[in-house]
């Protein structure tokens, strides 16, 4: 992965924790990072050039006004005042290149001096085996212990992703691929033959988790279940969870939205303009 620094910017050693999304159903991770970047007053530091990510370009995502400042597929932002860095990913990884992407991200993050990576992602609510009484339950996966558990996350009331089993075949296979193993034709990708645990091991957050862990980085995955549709409430929930994990208080962001958040400009056009009320 190559990068181009924004004029006058550089990677800050004080921003040792990096938050990024792993693309999944509902785009909740991306929306949460969209919310965190302007709220933390983060500045764009670098444009990232990654061959495994499809190119895209759009207008300024954060505003406050659309002035024609291009937003590209993969960018890095930093907020020295909060000690946080962010990667925002706005387009998907090319099919079959997820392992390469995950390893390149891990190498880049390690090379610029970050030591803790927080990965935000969503899970398909249709795959949930047990319906929790609390529909907004958060799940996590951590590199702190071999079984994925983390006492700090447990204190926050989160549940470890039960489907994570490092001894299970697809999780072991994924770890082997990250370590340089060869793609095996024996591993079937037939959805009808996949177990519940297999589904979670095939998601982008899993590859990023193993790749960053292999580089010696501390990794925390924060996960929530959702369906397709308007997932802005879930993105607020995930962003608030990150703040709790990292000891940040959204009220101190002093944004233009509720509870201290700054609503990004790009959200105004997510679902188009409101209907013309004169038609009713």
């Amino acid at each position: 992965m190559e990068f181009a620094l924004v004029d006058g910017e550089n990677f800050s050693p004080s921003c040792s924790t990096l938050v990024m999304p792993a693309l999944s159903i509902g785009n909740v991770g991306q929306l949460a990072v969209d919310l965190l970047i302007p709220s933390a007053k983060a500045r764009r530091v670098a444009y990232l050039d990654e061959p495994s990510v499809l190119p895209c370009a759009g207008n300024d995502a954060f505003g406050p006004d659309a002035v024609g400042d291009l937003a590209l597929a993969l960018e890095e932002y930093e907020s020295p005042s909060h000690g946080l860095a962010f990667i925002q990913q706005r387009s998907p990884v090319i099919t079959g290149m997820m392992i390469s992407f995950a390893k390149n991200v891990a190498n880049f993050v390690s090379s610029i001096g970050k030591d803790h990576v927080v990965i935000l992602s969503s899970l398909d609510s249709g795959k949930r085996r047990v319906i929790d009484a609390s529909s907004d339950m958060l799940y996590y996966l951590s590199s702190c212990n071999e079984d994925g558990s983390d006492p700090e996350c447990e204190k926050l009331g989160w549940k470890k992703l039960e489907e994570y089993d490092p001894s299970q075949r697809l999780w072991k296979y994924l770890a082997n691929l990250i370590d340089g193993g060869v793609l095996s034709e024996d591993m079937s990708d037939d959805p009808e033959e996949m177990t519940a645990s297999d589904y979670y091991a095939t998601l982008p957050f899993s590859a990023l988790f193993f790749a960053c862990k292999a580089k010696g980085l501390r990794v925390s995955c924060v996960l929530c279940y959702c369906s397709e549709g308007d997932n802005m409430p879930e993105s607020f929930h995930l962003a608030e969870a990150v703040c709790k994990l990292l000891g940040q208080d959204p009220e101190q962001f002093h944004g233009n939205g509720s509870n201290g958040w700054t609503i990004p400009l790009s959200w105004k056009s997510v679902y188009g303009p409101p209907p013309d009320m004169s038609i009713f």
Side-chain angles (χ1 to χ4, degrees):
M1 180 185 295
E2 298 181 352
F3 62 86
L5 289 170
V6 174
D7 288 346
E9 299 289 351
N10 214 329
F11 303 115
S12 172
S14 65
C15 299
S16 59
T17 296
L18 183 138
V19 182
M20 69 172 295
L23 273 59
S24 187
I25 184 170
N27 303 318
V28 178
Q30 291 167 290
L31 290 170
V33 173
D34 257 353
L35 189 60
L36 286 160
I37 288 173
S39 296
K41 309 295 189 295
R43 302 189 309 271
R44 179 164 45 204
V45 170
Y47 297 96
L48 311 183
D49 182 16
E50 169 52 46
S52 61
V53 174
L54 291 170
C56 75
N59 207 343
D60 181 19
F62 303 115
D65 300 306
V67 295
D69 187 11
L70 286 182
L72 301 183
L74 208 59
E75 299 174 334
E76 203 261 5
Y77 295 78
E78 298 200 349
S79 172
S81 61
H82 295 281
L84 296 175
F86 305 91
I87 286 179
Q88 181 58 298
Q89 181 184 347
R90 298 189 176 93
S91 64
V93 174
I94 297 171
T95 302
M97 298 191 70
M98 189 62 222
I99 298 299
S100 173
F101 170 72
K103 293 170 74 170
N104 289 345
V105 167
N107 288 334
F108 168 72
V109 171
S110 176
S111 71
I112 61 173
K114 312 307 179 190
D115 54 33
H116 184 195
V117 181
V118 181
I119 300 167
L120 308 182
S121 190
S122 46
L123 309 170
D124 185 353
S125 59
K127 301 289 186 180
R128 191 175 351 191
R129 291 185 293 176
V130 178
I131 304 299
D132 293 294
S134 173
S135 60
D136 60 356
M137 173 61 68
L138 288 168
Y139 296 80
Y140 76 90
L141 184 60
S142 172
S143 63
C144 285
N145 293 302
E146 192 60 33
D147 65 352
S149 64
D150 187 335
E152 293 302 316
C153 293
E154 295 288 337
K155 289 178 183 177
L156 295 172
W158 304 348
K159 289 185 178 180
K160 195 201 85 172
L161 185 67
E162 295 178 355
E163 290 78 7
Y164 175 69
D165 180 356
S167 65
Q168 190 266 350
R169 63 160 199 145
L170 211 55
W171 291 106
K172 288 176 66 176
Y173 179 60
L174 178 58
N176 181 58
L177 286 178
I178 294 294
D179 288 338
V182 180
L183 189 66
S184 171
E185 295 182 0
D186 297 333
M187 300 300 291
S188 171
D189 58 0
D190 184 352
E192 294 184 0
E193 296 185 12
M194 290 179 61
T195 67
S197 181
D198 288 340
Y199 160 72
Y200 295 91
T202 63
L203 295 178
F205 83 85
S206 301
L208 288 166
F209 173 76
F210 276 108
C212 292
K213 182 180 177 183
K215 290 296 292 185
L217 300 166
R218 179 187 171 194
V219 194
S220 304
C221 299
V222 187
L223 314 164
C224 70
Y225 281 96
C226 77
S227 302
E228 292 288 3
D230 181 1
N231 288 303
M232 287 183 182
E234 285 81 2
S235 69
F236 275 98
H237 189 45
L238 212 54
E240 290 166 357
V242 171
C243 289
K244 289 181 181 178
L245 177 66
L246 302 178
Q248 302 283 339
D249 181 5
E251 293 284 356
Q252 300 302 314
F253 291 154
H254 304 298
N256 59 15
S258 61
N259 300 320
W261 296 107
T262 296
I263 308 303
L265 176 68
S266 57
W267 283 21
K268 292 183 179 180
S269 58
V270 170
Y271 296 104
D276 182 356
M277 298 308 292
S278 65
I279 67 176
F280 296 105

